Amino acid sequence: MQSQTPSADMAIAIKSIPTLENQAAQSFVKKAESSVQKRGTVDFSKQIKSASNILAKAQLK
């Protein structure tokens, strides 16, 4: 059995995770909630109409 150097047996240090506090945290939450509300507001009616026209010209049923 070979002995290993002490540094090979040591664990890797866990770095601290930065956290948002005070004004930065409030601003982040406000922007996140705004993004969630805007998420479903995309209007695809023009694309649907265009696709329907293409399928009608191709006579697919």
Side-chain angles (χ1 to χ4, degrees):
M1 180 178 224
Q2 296 178 351
S3 77
Q4 297 178 347
T5 60
S7 62
D9 292 335
M10 297 180 70
I12 298 172
I14 298 173
K15 295 182 181 179
S16 63
I17 299 172
T19 56
L20 297 175
E21 296 177 359
N22 302 324
Q23 184 70 22
Q26 291 173 358
S27 175
F28 177 82
V29 170
K30 186 176 180 179
K31 289 179 183 179
E33 289 173 348
S34 174
S35 294
V36 168
Q37 290 176 355
K38 292 179 184 177
R39 184 176 72 181
T41 60
V42 179
D43 182 16
F44 289 105
S45 59
K46 291 180 183 178
Q47 290 84 350
I48 292 171
K49 185 175 181 179
S50 176
S52 295
N53 289 338
I54 292 169
L55 292 173
K57 286 181 184 178
Q59 297 179 350
L60 296 175
K61 293 183 181 183

